Amino acid sequence: MDEVARSGSLKAALAQGERLLGCDPTAALEQAREILRIAPYQRDALWLAAAALRSSGNAVEAARVEQTAIDTSGQDPDLVRAGSAIGAGRLREAEHILRPLVHTRPRDAVAIRMLAEIAMQLGIYVEAEAGLRRALTIAPGFADARAALATALMHQNRPDEALEEFDTLLAADPGDARTTIAKAQMLGQLGEYAAAIECYDRLLQLRIDSPRAWLGYGNILKTVGRREGAIAAYRRALTLAPAMGEAWWSLANLKTWRFDARDIAAMQAAASDPSAQPGDLIHLHFALGEAYEVAREFEASFGHYSEANRLRRLSIDHDAEALTRQVSSGIALHTRTFFDDRKDWGDASAEPIFIIGMPRAGSTLIEQILSSHSAVEGTAELPDIPLLLQKMMVEQQGGSPLAYPEITARLGADAARAFGKDYLSGTRLHRKAGKPFFIDKLPNNWLHISFIHLILPNARIIDARRDPLDCCFSNFKQHFARGQAFSYSLDDMGRYYRDYVRLMDHVDQALPGRVHRMIHEELIADPEREIRRMLAALDLPFEEACLHFHENARPVRTASSEQVRRPINRDGVERWRAYEPWLGPLKLALGDLV
């Protein structure tokens, strides 16, 4: 107590310890220990002690003290409030709590990690990486920060570095289920499915019976077409955790699964439990919506779909009006004259084939058809275009800050070509088959079509279009792993569809013939005719294999994975009609499109 008392206050004692750290780590450590004798779990003193131990060369003891500081953070009221705000999607509120804390407590690796999480959720991965590296400089053994760093690196298309971070974690704890699952998920995103399955096999051989491991294992098996194995894995997860909403939804998301009465009763019981977590409830209600739809109990089904969407919307920050303004700005800026003035900009490669449009509009079916062609490789919903846009906005191209689409007016010919080359370089890691052309199937790239044209003027673009009511209701029934914030409200969804059609109509005028439109209902009605038309638009010869796409054994990651392994059928046509009594807000938002 003497040292603390002489300093006059805890704050002064900590400040004195910080000053000593630079010149006399031993004295700084003693100062921290004096504080900890009075307040054994004073977190700032723990961080000070850990820093002093590292400066003195005692890394083992430093790591122990750092872990104590990390564990203690769960009791800090400010960090608890910030964590709750992040979990609820109130990112600005969390940032307002955390930034002053990090300023006054620069060694608090947990607060820094939480700030980085906000950047991650906003998609600002460069900033997230910087924060996570800072946290790891303070606490090299901070496993959660290292796992997050791996994710941030992956989002920046740096998979080799990301895998190194996971391997560092697994070297310290080979049986760490969370890290193994995260590594396997990353390998799956890279298309390294055999390696991902090996990760799960190794973990399960260690008898680490983790529900999340079984869930992830099931997801990978589903992707590669091992349906029965996936079902068994999901069932094992539910044996271990009967209320695990995500496992129930994963079964429902097979789209060809049928729940029995016991399943429905188990889900109802889990959803009625007052202690159920919000994430489980969302998945349970989506799964129950699917179960009652199959049973043709449409009112009950819609009730569960509505509750699932209501709960999900609470944690989503979607501004429909802002999207409408963004589309209007793009229409005003990206005129035919705008594009004529920038003719032949960008990289000349014709390798990419973009499939854009609304989610649940048949884009996976189109990808499956095209990837059955000997010259075309299917990849995934690639993040590269949004990442390049983020890079462009960070660089700002000089002058005052602008957002997309206005920022494209500052793009020069050299920069457009460089961005095109960056895209081709970044997507190369997803290309495994060495074919001349590859597919980028991120539907939301419709919003960035002008940027795509500027940087890749010879890339092919297909607009996957589906009946607005079928398409929007199919989105309403779907719980997406990430993104698609517009899809959890019938009104938001109708506005989103209208903005999408409005922009694509403008593109048809400003860049006539640039986009080939594939109407889902026409493809179902006459597959050969529409497939021949599409291949001709892509300058590809017709191949019979494209008609037999369902025999293609390629991995498929999207919710339609089981559906595209069957011949074309009309199962999804006019499914909305059974729910028509409750779709008034959607029809109103769609307006004259219905």
Side-chain angles (χ1 to χ4, degrees):
M1 181 67 182
D2 294 343
E3 196 66 33
V4 176
R6 281 197 295 273
S7 300
S9 70
L10 175 61
K11 184 176 180 180
L14 288 166
Q16 183 178 343
E18 288 288 342
R19 288 192 293 272
L20 290 168
L21 187 62
C23 59
D24 190 348
T26 302
L29 179 60
E30 184 55 34
Q31 179 80 339
R33 284 173 171 166
E34 283 292 329
I35 298 169
L36 291 169
R37 273 193 276 272
I38 304 304
Y41 295 101
Q42 209 292 322
R43 196 176 57 262
D44 296 316
L46 287 168
W47 287 119
L48 175 61
L53 286 162
R54 284 206 177 275
S55 295
S56 302
N58 192 343
V60 173
E61 182 63 12
R64 187 192 66 77
V65 175
E66 286 160 2
Q67 190 57 53
T68 301
I70 291 167
D71 295 341
T72 305
S73 294
Q75 303 168 17
D76 181 274
D78 291 325
L79 295 186
V80 169
R81 284 194 301 118
S84 296
I86 291 171
R90 303 191 305 272
L91 302 183
R92 290 175 185 167
E93 177 186 332
E95 185 176 13
H96 288 155
I97 297 168
L98 291 167
R99 287 213 179 273
L101 290 181
V102 170
H103 179 72
T104 58
R105 291 157 29 185
R107 294 191 191 282
D108 193 329
V110 176
I112 295 167
R113 159 71 181 95
M114 292 174 75
L115 261 182
E117 176 60 27
I118 294 172
M120 289 271 280
Q121 292 199 23
L122 291 172
I124 311 171
Y125 300 114
V126 173
E127 182 178 319
E129 178 190 352
L132 293 165
R133 290 196 184 281
R134 180 180 168 194
L136 288 167
T137 298
I138 296 166
F142 193 175
D144 183 65
R146 195 169 296 281
L149 174 59
T151 301
L153 291 167
M154 184 60 190
H155 279 297
Q156 296 175 75
N157 273 344
R158 293 154 63 188
D160 291 343
E161 294 174 67
L163 290 171
E164 284 179 12
E165 299 298 338
F166 281 131
D167 288 341
T168 297
L169 289 167
L170 290 172
D173 184 0
D176 181 358
R178 182 178 175 185
T179 300
T180 303
I181 293 166
K183 179 180 178 181
Q185 288 173 338
M186 182 171 294
L187 288 166
Q189 291 168 16
L190 292 169
E192 301 290 347
Y193 301 109
I197 290 171
E198 185 182 340
C199 278
Y200 285 116
D201 285 340
R202 191 182 312 116
L203 184 67
L204 297 171
Q205 284 167 7
L206 291 172
R207 300 182 182 278
I208 297 174
D209 224 3
S210 157
R212 297 217 66 83
W214 283 106
L215 176 70
Y217 193 35
N219 290 338
I220 287 288
L221 294 176
K222 171 194 171 186
T223 298
V224 299
R226 291 166 56 180
R227 182 176 184 274
E228 296 307 315
I231 291 169
Y234 296 145
R235 285 295 192 189
R236 180 58 185 161
L238 288 167
T239 299
L240 297 168
M244 189 179 194
E246 194 172 352
W248 286 113
W249 168 244
S250 295
L251 284 169
N253 205 29
L254 289 168
K255 306 302 182 189
T256 54
W257 176 256
R258 298 293 179 266
F259 291 111
D260 61 26
R262 287 177 300 177
D263 290 331
I264 294 174
M267 288 190 285
Q268 289 279 25
S272 302
D273 187 340
S275 66
Q277 296 299 304
D280 284 322
L281 282 174
I282 291 167
H283 285 105
L284 284 164
H285 283 296
F286 272 116
L288 282 163
E290 177 77 14
Y292 281 111
E293 180 176 0
V294 171
R296 303 187 65 79
E297 296 183 35
F298 298 115
E299 186 172 1
S301 172
F302 188 80
H304 285 292
Y305 284 139
S306 294
E307 181 62 7
N309 280 280
R310 184 190 70 80
L311 291 170
R312 186 72 176 97
R313 188 68 177 84
L314 293 174
S315 63
I316 292 290
D317 184 16
H318 174 68
D319 187 339
E321 185 58 39
L323 179 69
T324 297
R325 289 195 301 270
Q326 187 177 8
V327 169
S328 296
S329 296
I331 290 171
L333 175 62
H334 297 143
T335 62
R336 185 177 295 199
T337 300
F338 178 92
F339 291 118
D340 286 345
D341 290 343
R342 293 158 177 79
K343 188 177 181 181
D344 298 326
W345 280 21
D347 189 280
S349 173
E351 296 171 17
I353 300 171
F354 290 92
I355 303 176
I356 62 167
M358 289 283 293
R360 310 296 299 149
S363 58
T364 304
L365 175 58
I366 295 171
E367 180 189 37
Q368 186 79 343
I369 291 167
L370 285 177
S371 64
S372 300
H373 195 284
S374 61
V376 182
E377 180 173 5
T379 58
E381 296 182 354
L382 303 180
D384 297 75
I385 290 296
L387 285 173
L388 287 173
L389 278 167
Q390 184 185 114
K391 178 182 177 182
M392 180 170 65
M393 285 185 277
V394 167
E395 293 174 355
Q396 287 298 322
Q397 302 295 320
S400 58
L402 286 177
Y404 184 83
E406 292 84 358
I407 190 67
T408 58
R410 291 182 179 167
L411 192 67
D414 290 342
R417 188 177 306 107
F419 279 125
K421 289 186 182 302
D422 284 350
Y423 174 85
L424 295 168
S425 175
T427 54
R428 196 162 291 123
L429 63 93
H430 297 280
R431 302 178 66 179
K432 314 292 183 183
K435 295 184 178 182
F437 304 101
F438 71 98
I439 300 168
D440 181 339
K441 197 194 74 69
L442 186 66
N444 312 74
N445 274 335
W446 67 264
L447 187 58
H448 310 135
I449 194 166
S450 296
F451 178 65
I452 291 171
H453 177 73
L454 289 172
I455 69 170
L456 293 161
N458 297 317
R460 275 65 163 207
I461 303 173
I462 299 170
D463 174 18
R465 183 77 58 90
R466 185 181 178 190
D467 173 83
L469 287 169
D470 265 337
C471 185
C472 290
F473 186 63
S474 184
N475 275 273
F476 191 69
K477 292 165 34 177
Q478 184 68 37
H479 184 249
F480 294 95
R482 57 186 172 277
Q484 318 307 357
F486 68 89
S487 70
Y488 300 105
S489 155
L490 290 173
D491 178 67
D492 286 346
M493 194 141 35
R495 289 192 61 173
Y496 187 91
Y497 191 101
R498 282 183 63 84
D499 283 329
Y500 147 65
V501 171
R502 190 161 61 98
L503 183 62
M504 296 310 299
D505 285 348
H506 169 74
V507 169
D508 289 345
Q509 297 299 315
L511 293 167
R514 183 71 177 87
V515 176
H516 176 76
R517 187 154 294 114
M518 177 67 87
I519 305 298
H520 184 65
E521 291 74 19
E522 294 178 8
L523 174 60
I524 290 172
D526 194 337
E528 182 168 348
R529 180 192 67 196
E530 293 305 309
I531 290 170
R532 285 183 179 277
R533 285 183 62 245
M534 177 171 62
L535 293 175
L538 299 175
D539 295 322
L540 291 171
F542 176 75
E543 291 184 0
E544 283 286 334
C546 295
L547 294 177
H548 305 289
F549 61 87
H550 53 283
E551 298 172 2
N552 188 340
R554 62 178 285 271
V556 181
R557 299 184 204 172
T558 69
S560 304
S561 61
E562 292 301 302
Q563 292 164 305
V564 299
R565 292 183 174 122
R566 297 184 296 153
I568 281 179
N569 58 75
R570 295 181 55 82
D571 288 355
V573 176
E574 296 195 334
R575 295 284 285 273
W576 64 271
R577 289 197 179 277
Y579 296 87
E580 188 168 13
W582 306 285
L583 298 185
L586 175 59
K587 287 185 173 183
L588 185 64
L590 286 168
D592 58 5
L593 293 178
V594 296

